[in-house]
Amino acid sequence: MPRWFGLSLAFILAALTLVQTTSAHTAGCEPTLIENFEGQLDPTIWRAVEGNGCAVGLCGWGNNEVQHYSSQAVRVVDGALSITVTEEDGRITSGKLVSDGLFSQQYGRFAARIKLPRGRGLWPAFWMMPQSERRWPLAGEIDIMEWTGNEPQRLIAAAHFGPLPPHNVHYSETLRMPTPWNEGWHEFAVKWTPESIQWEVDGRIHSTVTPDDIVPHPWVFDREPFYLILNVAVGGTLGGEVHPEDFPAEMRVDWVEVYPSACDP
């Protein structure tokens, strides 16, 4: 057999192996959720939260927040989700979407492309809660992204766990930029496995937590699926001082995507 023919055959076999491997990887990487916010809000994925928390015995949503959530503050506009904060006669209205009871998943990559709002006292977040009946934070909480208008150059990633309040604890890390995070669009994500939670911004890993990092507390992030939450809180323990003159303010979400744990999109 001529040497060039042997090399060509080897190259073809290698290429076929690569194609087969790539195809298998792609087949295993089918997203479990793609939400592009086209047309109307999908009621099979999202439910709008209403009120100030008092109806569920959690006035101020447990954090002294001042907003009243309303479905009227949540719309799909020009191919993106819009959550708008307004103030009228001293009443501040905002929006919150949850996939509680509609979509949840244990492990994988959870991502969204978001443009943060402008406004002092705002506290937008993209986060996840367990599909569980256990009281907070016994089953955990994963905050993919938290940000505040009073510290616009700071981004927060956090995981909550431990015993019941006031003895609950959390692990958090911050990412600071020389420019405010609300000056453009960003992709916020976590990659969650049984042994770790890894936070990303625009494809860059910036924080990781493992069971060893939270000793002596038990690792509760290997027990239940979590559902998605998108909201803009106002004021409260993290939002801080509110300036109603900064309203209306709008957070926009281009898309939300969820992939299985075997996937690395």
Side-chain angles (χ1 to χ4, degrees), residues 66-68 86-93 244:
V66 299
Q67 80 283 348
H68 287 71
T86 58
E87 185 273 335
E88 185 175 356
D89 297 328
R91 181 187 176 97
I92 295 174
T93 301

Side-chain angles (χ1 to χ4, degrees), residues 222-260:
D222 58 357
R223 303 177 185 180
E224 285 147 328
F226 278 52
Y227 62 87
L228 302 169
I229 306 172
L230 288 160
N231 72 297
V232 181
V234 184
T237 53
L238 190 60
E241 185 178 355
V242 179
H243 292 257
E245 64 269 25
D246 290 351
F247 306 153
E250 178 190 38
M251 180 173 83
R252 292 179 63 80
V253 183
D254 186 17
W255 49 257
V256 176
E257 295 182 356
V258 181
Y259 289 84

Side-chain angles (χ1 to χ4, degrees), residues 72-107:
Q72 300 301 309
V74 181
R75 300 178 298 147
V76 175
V77 181
D78 298 328
L81 172 68
S82 168
I83 297 179
T84 304
V85 180
T86 58
E87 185 273 335
E88 185 175 356
D89 297 328
R91 181 187 176 97
I92 295 174
T93 301
S94 185
K96 179 178 183 178
L97 288 182
V98 300
S99 67
D100 182 15
L102 298 169
F103 173 85
S104 62
Q105 180 170 305
Q106 187 175 28
Y107 312 136

